[in-house]
Every structure is written in structure tokens, then in C-alpha cells.
Short mmCIF file of all heavy atoms in Angstrom, two decimals:
data_model
loop_
_atom_site.label_atom_id
_atom_site.label_comp_id
_atom_site.label_asym_id
_atom_site.label_seq_id
_atom_site.Cartn_x
_atom_site.Cartn_y
_atom_site.Cartn_z
N ARG K 1 0.83 -1.19 0.01
CA ARG K 1 -0.01 0.01 0.01
C ARG K 1 0.88 1.25 0.01
O ARG K 1 1.71 1.44 0.87
CB ARG K 1 -0.93 -0.01 1.21
CG ARG K 1 -1.87 1.16 1.23
CD ARG K 1 -2.86 1.06 2.38
NE ARG K 1 -3.76 2.17 2.43
CZ ARG K 1 -4.69 2.35 3.36
NH1 ARG K 1 -4.87 1.42 4.29
NH2 ARG K 1 -5.46 3.43 3.35
N GLU K 2 0.66 2.11 -1.03
CA GLU K 2 1.46 3.34 -1.12
C GLU K 2 0.90 4.36 -0.10
O GLU K 2 -0.32 4.48 0.09
CB GLU K 2 1.33 3.92 -2.54
CG GLU K 2 1.93 2.99 -3.61
CD GLU K 2 3.44 2.89 -3.50
OE1 GLU K 2 4.06 3.86 -2.95
OE2 GLU K 2 4.01 1.88 -3.91
N PRO K 3 1.77 5.17 0.49
CA PRO K 3 1.32 6.20 1.42
C PRO K 3 0.42 7.22 0.73
O PRO K 3 0.66 7.60 -0.41
CB PRO K 3 2.63 6.85 1.91
CG PRO K 3 3.69 5.85 1.59
CD PRO K 3 3.23 5.09 0.41
N ASN K 4 -0.63 7.65 1.42
CA ASN K 4 -1.53 8.66 0.96
C ASN K 4 -2.27 8.32 -0.32
O ASN K 4 -2.76 9.19 -1.04
CB ASN K 4 -0.78 10.01 0.75
CG ASN K 4 -0.06 10.46 2.00
OD1 ASN K 4 -0.63 10.38 3.11
ND2 ASN K 4 1.16 10.95 1.85
N VAL K 5 -2.32 7.02 -0.63
CA VAL K 5 -3.04 6.57 -1.84
C VAL K 5 -4.20 5.69 -1.39
O VAL K 5 -4.04 4.75 -0.61
CB VAL K 5 -2.14 5.75 -2.80
CG1 VAL K 5 -2.95 5.21 -3.97
CG2 VAL K 5 -1.00 6.60 -3.28
N GLU K 6 -5.41 6.08 -1.83
CA GLU K 6 -6.59 5.34 -1.44
C GLU K 6 -6.51 3.90 -1.98
O GLU K 6 -6.10 3.69 -3.11
CB GLU K 6 -7.87 6.01 -1.94
CG GLU K 6 -8.20 7.28 -1.23
CD GLU K 6 -9.55 7.80 -1.58
OE1 GLU K 6 -10.28 7.11 -2.31
OE2 GLU K 6 -9.91 8.92 -1.13
N PHE K 7 -6.89 2.98 -1.15
CA PHE K 7 -6.81 1.57 -1.54
C PHE K 7 -8.20 0.95 -1.49
O PHE K 7 -8.88 0.98 -0.47
CB PHE K 7 -5.86 0.81 -0.59
CG PHE K 7 -5.79 -0.66 -0.86
CD1 PHE K 7 -5.06 -1.17 -1.92
CD2 PHE K 7 -6.39 -1.57 -0.01
CE1 PHE K 7 -4.96 -2.50 -2.17
CE2 PHE K 7 -6.29 -2.93 -0.24
CZ PHE K 7 -5.57 -3.40 -1.32
N SER K 8 -8.65 0.41 -2.61
CA SER K 8 -9.97 -0.24 -2.67
C SER K 8 -9.76 -1.74 -2.56
O SER K 8 -9.07 -2.37 -3.38
CB SER K 8 -10.67 0.07 -4.00
OG SER K 8 -11.80 -0.79 -4.16
N ILE K 9 -10.34 -2.32 -1.49
CA ILE K 9 -10.19 -3.77 -1.28
C ILE K 9 -10.87 -4.54 -2.40
O ILE K 9 -10.41 -5.63 -2.78
CB ILE K 9 -10.73 -4.16 0.13
CG1 ILE K 9 -10.25 -5.57 0.47
CG2 ILE K 9 -12.26 -4.09 0.16
CD1 ILE K 9 -10.46 -5.91 1.94
N ASP K 10 -11.97 -3.99 -2.94
CA ASP K 10 -12.64 -4.69 -4.06
C ASP K 10 -11.75 -4.75 -5.29
O ASP K 10 -11.74 -5.71 -6.02
CB ASP K 10 -13.96 -3.96 -4.40
CG ASP K 10 -15.12 -4.48 -3.61
OD1 ASP K 10 -15.00 -5.61 -3.07
OD2 ASP K 10 -16.16 -3.80 -3.52
N GLU K 11 -10.99 -3.68 -5.53
CA GLU K 11 -10.11 -3.66 -6.67
C GLU K 11 -9.03 -4.74 -6.56
O GLU K 11 -8.56 -5.31 -7.55
CB GLU K 11 -9.43 -2.26 -6.81
CG GLU K 11 -10.39 -1.20 -7.28
CD GLU K 11 -9.70 0.15 -7.39
OE1 GLU K 11 -8.45 0.22 -7.27
OE2 GLU K 11 -10.38 1.16 -7.65
N PHE K 12 -8.65 -5.00 -5.31
CA PHE K 12 -7.64 -6.05 -5.07
C PHE K 12 -8.22 -7.44 -5.26
O PHE K 12 -7.63 -8.33 -5.91
CB PHE K 12 -7.03 -5.88 -3.68
CG PHE K 12 -6.18 -7.05 -3.28
CD1 PHE K 12 -5.04 -7.38 -3.97
CD2 PHE K 12 -6.57 -7.85 -2.23
CE1 PHE K 12 -4.28 -8.47 -3.59
CE2 PHE K 12 -5.82 -8.94 -1.86
CZ PHE K 12 -4.66 -9.27 -2.55
N PHE K 13 -9.42 -7.66 -4.71
CA PHE K 13 -10.02 -8.99 -4.72
C PHE K 13 -10.57 -9.39 -6.10
O PHE K 13 -10.55 -10.56 -6.43
CB PHE K 13 -11.14 -9.06 -3.69
CG PHE K 13 -10.68 -9.17 -2.26
CD1 PHE K 13 -11.28 -8.42 -1.27
CD2 PHE K 13 -9.64 -10.00 -1.92
CE1 PHE K 13 -10.89 -8.50 0.05
CE2 PHE K 13 -9.23 -10.12 -0.61
CZ PHE K 13 -9.86 -9.33 0.37
N ARG K 14 -11.03 -8.39 -6.89
CA ARG K 14 -11.71 -8.71 -8.11
C ARG K 14 -10.94 -9.58 -9.10
O ARG K 14 -11.46 -10.58 -9.61
CB ARG K 14 -12.15 -7.41 -8.81
CG ARG K 14 -13.13 -7.62 -9.97
CD ARG K 14 -13.62 -6.29 -10.54
NE ARG K 14 -14.31 -5.52 -9.56
CZ ARG K 14 -13.90 -4.33 -9.12
NH1 ARG K 14 -12.75 -3.81 -9.57
NH2 ARG K 14 -14.60 -3.67 -8.23
N PRO K 15 -9.65 -9.30 -9.36
CA PRO K 15 -8.91 -10.15 -10.32
C PRO K 15 -8.72 -11.58 -9.86
O PRO K 15 -8.48 -12.49 -10.66
CB PRO K 15 -7.54 -9.45 -10.45
CG PRO K 15 -7.76 -8.07 -9.92
CD PRO K 15 -8.84 -8.17 -8.89
N HIS K 16 -8.87 -11.84 -8.57
CA HIS K 16 -8.66 -13.14 -8.01
C HIS K 16 -9.98 -13.90 -7.80
O HIS K 16 -9.98 -14.99 -7.21
CB HIS K 16 -7.89 -13.05 -6.71
CG HIS K 16 -6.59 -12.30 -6.81
ND1 HIS K 16 -5.52 -12.78 -7.54
CD2 HIS K 16 -6.23 -11.07 -6.37
CE1 HIS K 16 -4.53 -11.90 -7.50
NE2 HIS K 16 -4.94 -10.85 -6.81
N ASP K 17 -11.09 -13.30 -8.25
CA ASP K 17 -12.38 -13.96 -8.17
C ASP K 17 -12.76 -14.36 -6.75
O ASP K 17 -13.25 -15.46 -6.51
CB ASP K 17 -12.43 -15.18 -9.11
CG ASP K 17 -13.85 -15.54 -9.52
OD1 ASP K 17 -14.73 -14.65 -9.51
OD2 ASP K 17 -14.09 -16.75 -9.81
N VAL K 18 -12.49 -13.47 -5.78
CA VAL K 18 -12.78 -13.75 -4.41
C VAL K 18 -14.26 -13.51 -4.14
O VAL K 18 -14.78 -12.43 -4.47
CB VAL K 18 -11.92 -12.87 -3.48
CG1 VAL K 18 -12.27 -13.15 -2.00
CG2 VAL K 18 -10.43 -13.09 -3.73
N PRO K 19 -14.98 -14.47 -3.58
CA PRO K 19 -16.40 -14.28 -3.34
C PRO K 19 -16.71 -13.10 -2.43
O PRO K 19 -15.93 -12.76 -1.54
CB PRO K 19 -16.83 -15.59 -2.64
CG PRO K 19 -15.78 -16.60 -3.05
CD PRO K 19 -14.52 -15.80 -3.19
N LYS K 20 -17.86 -12.48 -2.71
CA LYS K 20 -18.30 -11.33 -1.89
C LYS K 20 -19.27 -11.74 -0.80
O LYS K 20 -19.53 -10.99 0.14
CB LYS K 20 -18.93 -10.28 -2.77
CG LYS K 20 -18.01 -9.60 -3.73
CD LYS K 20 -18.77 -8.49 -4.50
CE LYS K 20 -17.83 -7.71 -5.41
NZ LYS K 20 -18.57 -6.62 -6.13
N ARG K 21 -19.93 -12.94 -0.99
CA ARG K 21 -21.00 -13.27 -0.08
C ARG K 21 -20.83 -14.69 0.45
O ARG K 21 -20.20 -15.54 -0.19
CB ARG K 21 -22.35 -13.15 -0.78
CG ARG K 21 -22.64 -11.74 -1.33
CD ARG K 21 -24.04 -11.67 -1.94
NE ARG K 21 -25.07 -11.55 -0.92
CZ ARG K 21 -25.52 -10.38 -0.48
NH1 ARG K 21 -25.07 -9.27 -0.93
NH2 ARG K 21 -26.49 -10.38 0.49
N ALA K 22 -21.50 -14.94 1.58
CA ALA K 22 -21.59 -16.31 2.15
C ALA K 22 -23.03 -16.74 1.99
O ALA K 22 -23.96 -15.93 2.03
CB ALA K 22 -21.18 -16.28 3.59
N ILE K 23 -23.22 -18.05 1.89
CA ILE K 23 -24.54 -18.62 1.68
C ILE K 23 -24.82 -19.75 2.66
O ILE K 23 -23.95 -20.61 2.86
CB ILE K 23 -24.76 -19.11 0.22
CG1 ILE K 23 -26.17 -19.68 0.02
CG2 ILE K 23 -23.68 -20.08 -0.19
CD1 ILE K 23 -26.50 -19.99 -1.45
N SER K 24 -25.98 -19.72 3.29
CA SER K 24 -26.41 -20.79 4.21
C SER K 24 -27.62 -21.47 3.63
O SER K 24 -28.36 -20.90 2.84
CB SER K 24 -26.73 -20.18 5.59
OG SER K 24 -25.62 -19.60 6.18
N LEU K 25 -27.84 -22.74 4.09
CA LEU K 25 -28.97 -23.51 3.63
C LEU K 25 -29.67 -24.12 4.83
O LEU K 25 -29.04 -24.66 5.71
CB LEU K 25 -28.53 -24.58 2.67
CG LEU K 25 -29.63 -25.44 2.01
CD1 LEU K 25 -29.21 -25.90 0.60
CD2 LEU K 25 -29.97 -26.68 2.85
N MET K 26 -31.01 -24.02 4.81
CA MET K 26 -31.82 -24.65 5.84
C MET K 26 -32.87 -25.54 5.19
O MET K 26 -33.59 -25.08 4.31
CB MET K 26 -32.53 -23.58 6.71
CG MET K 26 -33.48 -24.13 7.78
SD MET K 26 -34.23 -22.81 8.73
CE MET K 26 -35.31 -22.07 7.50
N TRP K 27 -32.87 -26.85 5.56
CA TRP K 27 -33.90 -27.73 5.02
C TRP K 27 -34.90 -28.10 6.09
O TRP K 27 -34.62 -28.09 7.29
CB TRP K 27 -33.28 -28.96 4.38
CG TRP K 27 -33.02 -30.10 5.30
CD1 TRP K 27 -33.82 -31.15 5.58
CD2 TRP K 27 -31.81 -30.37 6.05
NE1 TRP K 27 -33.22 -32.03 6.45
CE2 TRP K 27 -31.99 -31.56 6.78
CE3 TRP K 27 -30.60 -29.65 6.22
CZ2 TRP K 27 -31.03 -32.08 7.62
CZ3 TRP K 27 -29.67 -30.17 7.07
CH2 TRP K 27 -29.84 -31.41 7.75
N ASN K 28 -36.13 -28.41 5.65
CA ASN K 28 -37.21 -28.79 6.55
C ASN K 28 -37.62 -30.23 6.24
O ASN K 28 -37.76 -30.62 5.09
CB ASN K 28 -38.42 -27.89 6.33
CG ASN K 28 -38.11 -26.44 6.72
OD1 ASN K 28 -37.74 -26.14 7.85
ND2 ASN K 28 -38.25 -25.54 5.76
N GLN K 29 -37.78 -31.02 7.31
CA GLN K 29 -38.05 -32.43 7.14
C GLN K 29 -39.18 -32.85 8.08
O GLN K 29 -39.09 -32.70 9.30
CB GLN K 29 -36.78 -33.23 7.47
CG GLN K 29 -36.83 -34.70 7.09
CD GLN K 29 -35.46 -35.30 6.92
OE1 GLN K 29 -34.47 -34.64 6.80
NE2 GLN K 29 -35.39 -36.64 6.90
N ARG K 30 -40.22 -33.43 7.49
CA ARG K 30 -41.40 -33.79 8.31
C ARG K 30 -41.19 -35.13 9.06
O ARG K 30 -41.68 -35.32 10.13
CB ARG K 30 -42.64 -33.93 7.43
CG ARG K 30 -42.52 -35.02 6.39
CD ARG K 30 -43.78 -35.31 5.63
NE ARG K 30 -43.57 -36.44 4.70
CZ ARG K 30 -43.71 -37.72 5.00
NH1 ARG K 30 -44.10 -38.06 6.21
NH2 ARG K 30 -43.48 -38.62 4.10
N SER K 31 -40.46 -36.07 8.40
CA SER K 31 -40.27 -37.42 8.96
C SER K 31 -38.80 -37.77 8.87
O SER K 31 -38.21 -37.70 7.80
CB SER K 31 -41.12 -38.41 8.17
OG SER K 31 -40.92 -39.73 8.65
N VAL K 32 -38.20 -38.15 10.03
CA VAL K 32 -36.77 -38.34 10.07
C VAL K 32 -36.41 -39.74 10.61
O VAL K 32 -36.60 -40.01 11.78
CB VAL K 32 -36.11 -37.28 10.98
CG1 VAL K 32 -34.59 -37.39 10.92
CG2 VAL K 32 -36.57 -35.87 10.59
N ASP K 33 -35.94 -40.59 9.71
CA ASP K 33 -35.38 -41.89 10.10
C ASP K 33 -33.97 -41.58 10.63
O ASP K 33 -33.02 -41.51 9.88
CB ASP K 33 -35.36 -42.82 8.89
CG ASP K 33 -34.68 -44.16 9.19
OD1 ASP K 33 -34.17 -44.37 10.30
OD2 ASP K 33 -34.65 -44.99 8.25
N THR K 34 -33.87 -41.47 11.95
CA THR K 34 -32.67 -40.86 12.55
C THR K 34 -31.43 -41.72 12.34
O THR K 34 -30.33 -41.17 12.13
CB THR K 34 -32.90 -40.58 14.03
OG1 THR K 34 -34.11 -39.83 14.17
CG2 THR K 34 -31.76 -39.77 14.63
N PHE K 35 -31.56 -43.02 12.42
CA PHE K 35 -30.35 -43.86 12.35
C PHE K 35 -29.84 -44.03 10.91
O PHE K 35 -28.67 -43.84 10.65
CB PHE K 35 -30.59 -45.21 12.99
CG PHE K 35 -29.30 -46.00 13.12
CD1 PHE K 35 -28.36 -45.68 14.07
CD2 PHE K 35 -29.02 -47.04 12.24
CE1 PHE K 35 -27.19 -46.40 14.19
CE2 PHE K 35 -27.84 -47.74 12.32
CZ PHE K 35 -26.92 -47.43 13.31
N LEU K 36 -30.74 -44.36 9.99
CA LEU K 36 -30.30 -44.61 8.62
C LEU K 36 -30.41 -43.36 7.72
O LEU K 36 -29.51 -43.09 6.93
CB LEU K 36 -31.09 -45.74 7.99
CG LEU K 36 -30.82 -47.14 8.53
CD1 LEU K 36 -31.69 -48.17 7.81
CD2 LEU K 36 -29.33 -47.53 8.39
#
């Protein structure tokens, strides 16, 4: 990082295809055969 030069973190990450978001998944199950 150069002194007194604004640094955009997005500009750095973009060429490396770094994800911007995280994703979660929730499933719903009416009947659960717990062992198998």
C-alpha cells in the first residue's frame, strides 16, 4: 500500500475472483429416520 493513496479492497479482490457473499442452507423435514 502506497502512502496517501486510497486503496480499494474490491479492486484487489476482483482479479482473483474472491467471493463477496456467504450462503447458508436450511432444510425442513417432516419425517426423520434418525439412524439410517
